[in-house]
């Protein structure tokens, strides 16, 4: 009598990638931007919103150094910009 091995027995365990605190903070910031209507708002409102939100994020993720928090803000500000239109070229 032969034994048939299960396909699951041949598969090794996969390592699950755990996000870094910076990646978690980035994802959370992007979700806040989308849910709070920051995209397309007036620049002064965006500045106020980012000031308050980054203060919150600094408290929420104390393990992230200040320079990485500044990088996170820059990413968020870029993410909050409306998409740029591509110039249409006419075929002459």
């Amino acid at each position: 009598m032969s034994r048939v091995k299960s396909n699951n027995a041949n598969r090794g365990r996969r390592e699950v990638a755990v996000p870094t605190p910076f990646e978690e903070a980035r994802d959370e910031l992007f979700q806040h931007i989308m849910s709070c209507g920051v995209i397309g708002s007036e620049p002064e409102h965006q500045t106020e919103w980012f000031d308050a939100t980054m203060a919150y994020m600094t408290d929420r993720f104390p393990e992230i150094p200040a320079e990485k928090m500044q990088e996170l803000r820059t990413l968020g500000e870029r993410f909050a910009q409306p998409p740029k239109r591509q110039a249409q070229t006419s075929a002459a």
Side-chain angles (χ1 to χ4, degrees):
M1 192 178 227
S2 67
R3 278 181 102 178
V4 177
K5 290 185 178 181
S6 167
N7 284 340
N8 290 336
N10 292 333
R11 294 183 187 169
R13 289 189 162 214
R14 293 184 182 178
E15 295 294 323
V16 177
V18 177
T20 65
F22 182 83
E23 292 169 332
E24 287 181 24
R26 179 202 60 210
D27 294 347
E28 186 173 321
L29 178 62
F30 287 2
Q31 286 185 358
H32 283 305
I33 290 169
M34 289 187 294
S35 66
C36 292
V38 177
I39 298 173
S41 66
E42 295 296 321
E44 61 271 6
H45 294 142
Q46 283 188 3
T47 300
E48 291 173 13
W49 188 89
F50 273 104
D51 289 345
T53 302
M54 294 312 297
Y56 163 77
M57 297 295 278
T58 300
D59 289 342
R60 173 130 166 64
F61 295 96
E63 65 273 24
I64 299 176
E67 59 273 359
K68 292 300 259 179
M69 276 297 180
Q70 183 57 47
E71 182 182 333
L72 183 63
R73 181 177 181 139
T74 300
L75 289 173
E77 289 172 341
R78 289 179 185 164
F79 184 76
Q81 297 304 309
K84 295 181 181 179
R85 295 183 185 185
Q86 292 183 358
Q88 294 179 346
T89 57
S90 60

